Amino acid sequence: MQSFQPLAIQTSRGDGYFIEAFPFKTDDESPPHVIAYGLGGSQVSVVSMFLNPFPNSTDSKDWEQVDLARLRYPVGMTYADITGNGFNDVIITDEYGPSMDDLWMDGGRIVWLQNPGNSKTGNWRQRFIGRSPSMHRVKAGHFTTRDRVQVAGFPIIVRAGDRTSPAPVVIYTAPEDPENDNQVWDEEIAFPDSFRLVHDVDIIRSIDGGLDQILLAGREGISLIWYDEGAKMWKSRNLGSGTVPSPGNPYWGAGCVALGGVKLDSSGYIGTAEGFHGNRVSVYVKEKNAMPGEIAKANWTRHVLHDFGPLNSRHEGYIHHVICADIDGDGDDELLVACMGSNPPTWERTGVWCYKPVDLPSGKFSRFKLSDASAARIAVGHFRSKNLLDFATISYSVPGYFESPSPSVILHASSLITATRLNDEVTFRVPRPSDTRLVDEVAFLDVASRKLSLVVVPPYTQYGTSEGAGLKILTGRVFWTDKNEAQQERTQATNTFGVISTIVDAKDGYILTQSEGAVLLLMTKSETSGRPPYSDMNQLEARNIIPAHFSSTLQHMEFPWVKVEHRPWANGRFKDLEFYNLTGFHVRYADDSDSLLCHMQLWTAGVGVSAGFHNHTGEVFCEIHACIVNGTGQGGMHWATVPDGDFNPSKPQNGTSSSVVVPDMYEHGPLWRTRKDGLPSLRDNGTVDYPWHAWIAGGKSSSPQAFDVWVAFEFPPLLSRSFQGEGVRPRDGVYRLVNTSTDIVATVKDGDSTDGTPIWQVNLVPGTNLFTITNLASSSKASVAWPPVANQALVGSRSAAVLNTTSLWTIVSTG
């Protein structure tokens, strides 16, 4: 499970009870806002909408608070477009009273707050729907008719202190003109005496234009109710009884309910908490041959997943809400459980727990802790990105039940990509693309008219890009169809000593990954970092845009351009040259290997400036540059074409080097020397064999000064860097390479790893900790990290020159 980073929406609240993700418009794809409030107690409760800052910016912004209403004891809420004008209205219950033992018998009001169409307008107009004492939960939908908005109300009891008598289920139907206060809502009692202590409900939306159904959690356990249009009557079925009665305890059955989808079955399981404010997490699973989507006719088996321990003296536990959502994108809904807390406080009984289906027919779920903050309820939504589901919580703080010591509203931001500060640099950690089903994107730097973002895209996934965006592949490969109907492919590098555009000119506006997925640097257009060309370094200020769900330590970092002569490694070189460096960003895999994927840093050089010829005799990496702005017009890479000993790096002679211009938003291919099989040549000390090379800015400009700006990408060499694990002794030998998922044997023939002889010779590279793997039939070579482990990436000689990888393989010894 990915991590979730807490981001404060509101702190230091007086109380806390309800939270909801609120899409302001019915057809708006913008991230939802958050509505939150407490019961108010002796004070009037303020129902507030917190405006989502993420739609327009990745900057660290506060969630602006807009107060919609001041109500007495509001309890449940939902939303719907009651007027039909495209704006969602808020439907809310209030005037409940201090507690179940001190109800306001003339209360239980349901009102709707009319959306004014401007998210920053407060004090929304209140309009009356209906009233029933102890109105506790409310849901909107189409329960008996499709042509009007309907509101289902669920009182919890009928009179103060009466935990035995059934409470009615009430259906309200909007009038023809709901804005006319003289037109009242029709009221129908669906079930007058069937259900007791209904604490929570879940609506099952029709997917075929039919009527919605309702799941109830109460003393009867889990019940399904629906309106039968043919018989013109309400029907119900009990799906499970939940916990059984115990002496002196007025609460049994269930207290929370949520329907979870699994793959193509929208009703894969039912998650519950038992009983009222209970202590037990259970699920109901239907028989194996049940039809997908079937609920009423299926037979359900109850499985208890977890017990949070003894109830308190009032027979109450710690769970207040459950919700199902596919937060990791694998097609199966997880069950999220909100624990309000305990007295004395405990880690286990406070926060949000996640239960993930592992073996559904057997009722087996894995369990993760996602949040440590008190949670009265959970609101799930695409709060920051359409690719990731986040969740928000509000602390439970209600006098007489449980009072959180520090009530807050918190967004828990889903984070595939995480980051830490490493001195003056940043280390990003990313999942291997093949190990995730979610897309994540993290912007981090705005510089030279481009916003730089790190992006993870899983296998076989479409990823939309904006007009004029560029990308640099860090691992994997992507494809798109350009506007001329030509097929484009990008991998870690293009042809040796060549250049290729990084701009995505996709006809359909998206790129597509293959089996390996991709990690890439995205470079989108920016209007906030100036337009090139740049004639002064003051125009090239780099702005930190690391988003708000990362730590403040990262958000407050500065990324200055430092004159290279002042870098300690310059050793007195580059004196008085307009040559600057901005470092840097490490990208590592977020698994036990912690392997380095890439190191990135930025450079800029003025007219005629040489970055200095060098050949990496002390560094072990493969380096590629992508130009953001070629301000001098002719800036690019130069490399020696003669043996290293015949080249003078400080005073290159004519005819001893070659070059290639790297235009705006282009990258160059590998400059290192390769063997006949395409793999990098290695020196005796294990470094990659480079010719002398340097970036040299253009020597002439129409203005007194101009700057090239480029990003350097330092990749680990293709072969293994070191041994892994204590006591591991690498051995030469003959092996078969076998795909662990298909049992297909890895082979290479004529540079194509699809057929041929499956026998490979593994040999230590003399003087290094590196290994080569040679196909004994074709002499083609590959490489792999040592020791060989299941599912590690194998680099085949078919694509080694461009840093590409084949499928995932393990190695099986022939002996």
Side-chain angles (χ1 to χ4, degrees):
M1 185 64 61
Q2 71 271 25
S3 62
F4 289 83
Q5 306 299 321
L7 172 65
I9 296 176
Q10 183 191 36
T11 58
S12 304
R13 289 183 55 88
D15 62 357
Y17 182 79
F18 207 93
I19 190 169
E20 187 84 6
F22 181 67
F24 193 76
K25 297 176 65 177
T26 58
D27 61 351
D28 194 355
E29 295 185 358
S30 297
H33 303 309
V34 168
I35 292 179
Y37 55 88
L39 298 184
S42 59
Q43 305 293 323
V44 172
S45 174
V46 179
V47 178
S48 299
M49 178 171 64
F50 297 92
L51 303 185
N52 194 324
F54 289 104
N56 301 316
S57 175
T58 56
D59 293 345
S60 303
K61 285 186 177 180
D62 293 332
W63 292 62
E64 182 180 348
Q65 180 177 340
V66 177
D67 296 337
L68 307 185
R70 301 175 69 84
L71 303 175
R72 299 180 301 168
Y73 291 106
V75 184
M77 72 148 283
T78 188
Y79 61 84
D81 179 10
I82 293 176
T83 65
N85 65 356
F87 292 93
N88 281 315
D89 306 297
V90 173
I91 303 163
I92 192 166
T93 72
D94 72 342
E95 299 182 354
Y96 180 88
S99 70
M100 284 198 294
D101 296 314
D102 188 13
L103 284 180
W104 289 355
M105 293 305 296
D106 59 347
R109 185 177 67 149
I110 303 178
V111 295
W112 63 283
L113 310 178
Q114 187 169 0
N115 190 326
N118 184 337
S119 62
K120 296 193 176 185
T121 299
N123 299 316
W124 291 12
R125 180 169 181 174
Q126 300 179 28
R127 298 183 183 273
F128 182 75
I129 291 178
R131 186 189 302 272
S132 184
S134 83
M135 190 62 73
H136 189 257
R137 294 289 178 255
V138 61
K139 295 289 184 180
H142 296 284
F143 307 110
T144 65
T145 182
R146 300 173 186 81
D147 61 354
R148 303 280 179 85
V149 173
Q150 293 185 296
V151 173
F154 306 89
I156 196 166
I157 56 179
V158 292
R159 62 185 63 88
D162 184 349
R163 291 168 172 79
T164 303
S165 301
V169 175
V170 189
I171 306 296
Y172 300 93
T173 303
E176 183 175 350
D177 182 6
E179 294 182 84
N180 185 342
D181 292 334
N182 294 321
Q183 295 188 18
V184 299
W185 289 60
D186 291 337
E187 178 180 327
E188 174 190 358
I189 305 298
F191 289 92
D193 54 9
S194 298
F195 304 106
R196 297 167 293 174
L197 290 176
V198 173
H199 180 264
D200 221 343
V201 297
D202 193 17
I203 301 301
I204 305 166
R205 303 293 180 191
S206 171
I207 60 174
D208 58 3
L211 298 176
D212 302 328
Q213 299 177 316
I214 304 171
L215 282 172
L216 307 178
R219 184 178 274 193
E220 282 68 38
I222 302 300
S223 301
L224 177 72
I225 65 174
W226 71 97
Y227 185 76
D228 187 322
E229 290 186 278
K232 297 188 182 303
M233 62 181 296
W234 281 90
K235 293 184 177 181
S236 68
R237 186 189 168 201
N238 184 265
L239 305 180
S241 57
T243 58
V244 298
S246 59
N249 185 350
Y251 307 122
W252 60 87
C256 304
V257 62
L259 184 66
V262 177
K263 296 297 186 287
L264 299 178
D265 188 355
S266 60
S267 59
Y269 68 93
I270 299 170
T272 78
E274 303 164 341
F276 178 93
H277 287 194
N279 62 339
R280 187 172 295 162
V281 178
S282 298
V283 296
Y284 289 87
V285 178
K286 58 188 176 183
E287 69 270 26
K288 190 174 182 179
N289 60 352
M291 292 290 292
E294 185 57 67
I295 301 176
K297 296 179 181 179
N299 294 318
W300 296 84
T301 301
R302 175 174 170 259
H303 301 271
V304 177
L305 302 184
H306 188 75
D307 192 318
F308 282 89
L311 302 171
N312 62 23
S313 59
R314 297 191 303 272
H315 309 287
E316 295 168 349
Y318 321 98
I319 306 170
H320 193 250
H321 184 225
V322 301
I323 191 171
C324 289
D326 183 11
I327 60 172
D328 65 356
D330 67 350
D332 296 343
D333 282 350
E334 285 72 44
L335 175 65
L336 305 187
V337 177
C339 294
M340 50 186 149
S342 61
N343 191 9
T346 65
W347 174 80
E348 183 176 39
R349 297 169 181 170
T350 305
V352 175
W353 286 94
C354 171
Y355 296 81
K356 180 176 180 59
V358 174
D359 181 359
L360 195 60
S362 301
K364 293 182 179 180
F365 285 60
S366 57
R367 183 169 178 251
F368 306 88
K369 186 77 179 290
L370 301 185
S371 164
D372 293 329
S374 170
R377 289 183 70 87
I378 303 167
V380 175
H382 294 282
F383 290 107
R384 298 173 303 117
S385 165
K386 64 181 180 181
N387 303 309
L388 294 171
L389 274 178
D390 307 314
F391 68 92
T393 58
I394 187 170
S395 306
Y396 191 98
S397 189
V398 177
Y401 289 94
F402 176 79
E403 295 183 69
S404 171
S406 56
S408 303
V409 181
I410 300 174
L411 175 70
H412 304 270
S414 178
S415 297
L416 296 182
I417 301 172
T418 60
T420 54
R421 182 169 181 169
L422 181 65
N423 298 321
D424 292 329
E425 297 191 320
V426 175
T427 297
F428 291 105
R429 285 181 169 82
V430 301
R432 296 183 187 271
S434 58
D435 291 343
T436 184
R437 298 168 181 85
L438 299 173
V439 174
D440 197 8
E441 177 181 329
V442 173
F444 59 91
L445 195 68
D446 186 353
V447 61
S449 76
R450 293 281 164 172
K451 290 185 178 181
L452 308 186
S453 302
L454 190 62
V455 183
V456 176
V457 187
Y460 302 112
T461 299
Q462 291 182 0
Y463 174 75
T465 58
S466 59
E467 184 72 22
L471 59 82
K472 174 72 190 81
I473 300 296
L474 305 186
T475 188
R477 53 183 176 153
V478 301
F479 299 81
W480 70 86
T481 302
D482 68 22
K483 295 176 181 178
N484 295 319
E485 301 293 336
Q487 293 297 309
Q488 297 287 338
E489 177 184 3
R490 295 292 185 273
T491 59
Q492 283 177 304
T494 187
N495 295 327
T496 305
F497 301 105
V499 295
I500 195 169
S501 174
T502 65
I503 296 294
V504 179
D505 58 342
K507 178 185 69 173
D508 299 319
Y510 63 81
I511 59 175
L512 179 67
T513 59
Q514 296 296 307
S515 59
E516 61 271 81
V519 178
L520 56 93
L521 179 74
L522 183 69
M523 299 171 280
T524 55
K525 292 181 178 179
S526 171
E527 299 296 332
T528 57
S529 54
R531 292 184 178 182
Y534 302 101
S535 59
D536 189 289
M537 282 301 297
N538 291 328
Q539 301 169 341
L540 273 172
E541 180 181 1
R543 188 164 62 94
N544 181 342
I545 56 172
I546 293 175
H549 65 279
F550 286 86
S551 72
S552 58
T553 301
L554 291 167
Q555 293 176 54
H556 295 153
M557 288 184 69
E558 294 183 352
F559 299 107
W561 289 103
V562 175
K563 209 166 189 181
V564 172
E565 66 177 287
H566 300 312
R567 291 293 191 192
W569 42 260
N571 295 320
R573 296 176 299 157
F574 309 109
K575 191 70 174 176
D576 299 325
L577 291 183
E578 288 298 289
F579 183 29
Y580 299 82
N581 170 245
L582 187 156
T583 188
F585 305 92
H586 303 264
V587 183
R588 309 186 74 91
Y589 284 121
D591 55 23
D592 291 340
S593 73
D594 195 35
S595 299
L596 177 66
L597 175 57
C598 182
H599 178 258
M600 302 179 292
Q601 56 182 320
L602 281 78
W603 303 85
T604 182
V607 172
V609 171
S610 170
F613 278 93
H614 56 285
N615 60 0
H616 302 305
T617 55
E619 297 91 8
V620 184
F621 56 70
C622 294
E623 184 181 50
I624 290 172
H625 302 89
C627 182
I628 298 178
V629 175
N630 197 316
T632 65
Q634 293 297 311
M637 294 304 299
H638 294 240
W639 62 90
T641 55
V642 297
D644 290 354
D646 296 337
F647 186 80
N648 185 343
S650 60
K651 293 181 179 181
Q653 300 297 313
N654 291 335
T656 61
S657 66
S658 186
S659 65
V660 62
V661 173
V662 187
D664 291 357
M665 299 305 292
Y666 271 67
E667 62 174 299
H668 68 74
L671 303 181
W672 53 86
R673 297 181 175 113
T674 59
R675 303 184 305 219
K676 291 181 179 180
D677 59 14
L679 290 173
S681 295
L682 299 178
R683 302 185 181 100
D684 289 343
N685 66 354
T687 59
V688 177
D689 188 8
Y690 268 89
W692 291 98
H693 62 282
W695 181 285
I696 301 178
K700 295 180 180 180
S701 175
S702 59
S703 60
Q705 186 58 280
F707 288 91
D708 297 341
V709 182
W710 69 94
V711 187
F713 300 86
E714 299 160 3
F715 294 100
L718 296 180
L719 299 180
S720 167
R721 273 77 66 196
S722 63
F723 307 141
Q724 301 176 17
E726 292 293 330
V728 173
R729 292 293 182 265
R731 292 174 294 179
D732 292 355
V734 178
Y735 294 84
R736 291 188 312 117
L737 276 64
V738 181
N739 185 293
T740 54
S741 61
T742 66
D743 292 329
I744 297 174
V745 178
T747 60
V748 168
K749 182 179 180 181
D750 300 327
D752 184 0
S753 56
T754 58
D755 59 4
T757 305
I759 303 299
W760 298 72
Q761 179 73 41
V762 177
N763 291 106
L764 179 69
V765 178
T768 75
N769 290 335
L770 311 180
F771 280 78
T772 61
I773 305 178
T774 306
N775 186 283
L776 296 184
S778 66
S779 297
S780 297
K781 296 181 183 293
S783 59
V784 69
W786 195 274
V789 296
N791 291 335
Q792 70 174 260
L794 168 69
V795 180
S797 63
R798 170 179 61 87
S799 53
V802 292
L803 299 176
N804 205 353
T805 60
T806 65
S807 300
L808 302 181
W809 305 87
T810 187
I811 297 181
V812 179
S813 174
T814 59

PDB file of all heavy atoms in Angstrom, residues 252-266:
ATOM      1  N   TRP A 252     -26.439  -4.066  19.494  1.00  0.00           N
ATOM      2  CA  TRP A 252     -25.965  -5.241  18.776  1.00  0.00           C
ATOM      3  C   TRP A 252     -26.287  -5.045  17.297  1.00  0.00           C
ATOM      4  O   TRP A 252     -26.748  -3.999  16.878  1.00  0.00           O
ATOM      5  CB  TRP A 252     -26.575  -6.538  19.327  1.00  0.00           C
ATOM      6  CG  TRP A 252     -28.074  -6.636  19.262  1.00  0.00           C
ATOM      7  CD1 TRP A 252     -28.836  -7.086  18.224  1.00  0.00           C
ATOM      8  CD2 TRP A 252     -29.002  -6.299  20.298  1.00  0.00           C
ATOM      9  NE1 TRP A 252     -30.172  -7.044  18.526  1.00  0.00           N
ATOM     10  CE2 TRP A 252     -30.300  -6.574  19.813  1.00  0.00           C
ATOM     11  CE3 TRP A 252     -28.865  -5.793  21.602  1.00  0.00           C
ATOM     12  CZ2 TRP A 252     -31.454  -6.359  20.558  1.00  0.00           C
ATOM     13  CZ3 TRP A 252     -30.016  -5.594  22.355  1.00  0.00           C
ATOM     14  CH2 TRP A 252     -31.284  -5.869  21.832  1.00  0.00           C
ATOM     15  N   GLY A 253     -26.015  -6.036  16.500  1.00  0.00           N
ATOM     16  CA  GLY A 253     -26.224  -5.874  15.063  1.00  0.00           C
ATOM     17  C   GLY A 253     -25.019  -5.207  14.424  1.00  0.00           C
ATOM     18  O   GLY A 253     -23.897  -5.695  14.521  1.00  0.00           O
ATOM     19  N   ALA A 254     -25.222  -4.052  13.781  1.00  0.00           N
ATOM     20  CA  ALA A 254     -24.152  -3.341  13.074  1.00  0.00           C
ATOM     21  C   ALA A 254     -24.333  -1.844  13.232  1.00  0.00           C
ATOM     22  O   ALA A 254     -25.449  -1.354  13.453  1.00  0.00           O
ATOM     23  CB  ALA A 254     -24.134  -3.725  11.591  1.00  0.00           C
ATOM     24  N   GLY A 255     -23.223  -1.108  13.098  1.00  0.00           N
ATOM     25  CA  GLY A 255     -23.278   0.336  13.221  1.00  0.00           C
ATOM     26  C   GLY A 255     -22.855   1.076  11.973  1.00  0.00           C
ATOM     27  O   GLY A 255     -23.156   2.261  11.820  1.00  0.00           O
ATOM     28  N   CYS A 256     -22.134   0.410  11.063  1.00  0.00           N
ATOM     29  CA  CYS A 256     -21.662   1.044   9.832  1.00  0.00           C
ATOM     30  C   CYS A 256     -21.747   0.041   8.698  1.00  0.00           C
ATOM     31  O   CYS A 256     -21.664  -1.176   8.919  1.00  0.00           O
ATOM     32  CB  CYS A 256     -20.202   1.502   9.973  1.00  0.00           C
ATOM     33  SG  CYS A 256     -19.879   2.617  11.348  1.00  0.00           S
ATOM     34  N   VAL A 257     -21.871   0.549   7.471  1.00  0.00           N
ATOM     35  CA  VAL A 257     -21.956  -0.343   6.316  1.00  0.00           C
ATOM     36  C   VAL A 257     -21.425   0.372   5.082  1.00  0.00           C
ATOM     37  O   VAL A 257     -21.603   1.588   4.921  1.00  0.00           O
ATOM     38  CB  VAL A 257     -23.406  -0.816   6.078  1.00  0.00           C
ATOM     39  CG1 VAL A 257     -24.332   0.376   5.764  1.00  0.00           C
ATOM     40  CG2 VAL A 257     -23.471  -1.847   4.968  1.00  0.00           C
ATOM     41  N   ALA A 258     -20.740  -0.397   4.223  1.00  0.00           N
ATOM     42  CA  ALA A 258     -20.258   0.128   2.943  1.00  0.00           C
ATOM     43  C   ALA A 258     -20.140  -1.038   1.976  1.00  0.00           C
ATOM     44  O   ALA A 258     -19.695  -2.126   2.353  1.00  0.00           O
ATOM     45  CB  ALA A 258     -18.919   0.838   3.093  1.00  0.00           C
ATOM     46  N   LEU A 259     -20.532  -0.811   0.730  1.00  0.00           N
ATOM     47  CA  LEU A 259     -20.464  -1.835  -0.308  1.00  0.00           C
ATOM     48  C   LEU A 259     -19.142  -1.705  -1.051  1.00  0.00           C
ATOM     49  O   LEU A 259     -18.790  -0.620  -1.520  1.00  0.00           O
ATOM     50  CB  LEU A 259     -21.635  -1.689  -1.274  1.00  0.00           C
ATOM     51  CG  LEU A 259     -21.754  -2.753  -2.370  1.00  0.00           C
ATOM     52  CD1 LEU A 259     -22.058  -4.117  -1.771  1.00  0.00           C
ATOM     53  CD2 LEU A 259     -22.829  -2.360  -3.380  1.00  0.00           C
ATOM     54  N   GLY A 260     -18.414  -2.820  -1.173  1.00  0.00           N
ATOM     55  CA  GLY A 260     -17.130  -2.816  -1.854  1.00  0.00           C
ATOM     56  C   GLY A 260     -17.167  -3.556  -3.169  1.00  0.00           C
ATOM     57  O   GLY A 260     -17.719  -4.664  -3.258  1.00  0.00           O
ATOM     58  N   GLY A 261     -16.620  -2.954  -4.212  1.00  0.00           N
ATOM     59  CA  GLY A 261     -16.525  -3.588  -5.512  1.00  0.00           C
ATOM     60  C   GLY A 261     -15.219  -4.355  -5.648  1.00  0.00           C
ATOM     61  O   GLY A 261     -14.193  -3.968  -5.101  1.00  0.00           O
ATOM     62  N   VAL A 262     -15.265  -5.450  -6.393  1.00  0.00           N
ATOM     63  CA  VAL A 262     -14.076  -6.268  -6.645  1.00  0.00           C
ATOM     64  C   VAL A 262     -14.047  -6.604  -8.124  1.00  0.00           C
ATOM     65  O   VAL A 262     -14.924  -7.307  -8.624  1.00  0.00           O
ATOM     66  CB  VAL A 262     -14.084  -7.555  -5.803  1.00  0.00           C
ATOM     67  CG1 VAL A 262     -12.874  -8.422  -6.142  1.00  0.00           C
ATOM     68  CG2 VAL A 262     -14.100  -7.229  -4.316  1.00  0.00           C
ATOM     69  N   LYS A 263     -13.059  -6.056  -8.832  1.00  0.00           N
ATOM     70  CA  LYS A 263     -12.927  -6.237 -10.280  1.00  0.00           C
ATOM     71  C   LYS A 263     -14.233  -5.841 -10.965  1.00  0.00           C
ATOM     72  O   LYS A 263     -14.676  -4.703 -10.830  1.00  0.00           O
ATOM     73  CB  LYS A 263     -12.509  -7.667 -10.596  1.00  0.00           C
ATOM     74  CG  LYS A 263     -11.136  -8.038 -10.048  1.00  0.00           C
ATOM     75  CD  LYS A 263     -10.026  -7.196 -10.649  1.00  0.00           C
ATOM     76  CE  LYS A 263      -8.642  -7.663 -10.225  1.00  0.00           C
ATOM     77  NZ  LYS A 263      -8.301  -7.342  -8.830  1.00  0.00           N
ATOM     78  N   LEU A 264     -14.880  -6.780 -11.668  1.00  0.00           N
ATOM     79  CA  LEU A 264     -16.087  -6.449 -12.430  1.00  0.00           C
ATOM     80  C   LEU A 264     -17.362  -6.590 -11.608  1.00  0.00           C
ATOM     81  O   LEU A 264     -18.458  -6.358 -12.123  1.00  0.00           O
ATOM     82  CB  LEU A 264     -16.176  -7.342 -13.667  1.00  0.00           C
ATOM     83  CG  LEU A 264     -15.021  -7.211 -14.669  1.00  0.00           C
ATOM     84  CD1 LEU A 264     -15.198  -8.171 -15.828  1.00  0.00           C
ATOM     85  CD2 LEU A 264     -14.895  -5.782 -15.175  1.00  0.00           C
ATOM     86  N   ASP A 265     -17.231  -6.955 -10.357  1.00  0.00           N
ATOM     87  CA  ASP A 265     -18.410  -7.130  -9.500  1.00  0.00           C
ATOM     88  C   ASP A 265     -18.550  -5.919  -8.588  1.00  0.00           C
ATOM     89  O   ASP A 265     -17.753  -5.714  -7.673  1.00  0.00           O
ATOM     90  CB  ASP A 265     -18.274  -8.403  -8.674  1.00  0.00           C
ATOM     91  CG  ASP A 265     -19.546  -8.754  -7.910  1.00  0.00           C
ATOM     92  OD1 ASP A 265     -20.501  -7.947  -7.957  1.00  0.00           O
ATOM     93  OD2 ASP A 265     -19.586  -9.821  -7.279  1.00  0.00           O
ATOM     94  N   SER A 266     -19.562  -5.109  -8.836  1.00  0.00           N
ATOM     95  CA  SER A 266     -19.774  -3.893  -8.037  1.00  0.00           C
ATOM     96  C   SER A 266     -20.209  -4.203  -6.618  1.00  0.00           C
ATOM     97  O   SER A 266     -20.183  -3.327  -5.755  1.00  0.00           O
ATOM     98  CB  SER A 266     -20.823  -3.001  -8.719  1.00  0.00           C
ATOM     99  OG  SER A 266     -22.057  -3.691  -8.831  1.00  0.00           O
TER     100      SER A 266
END
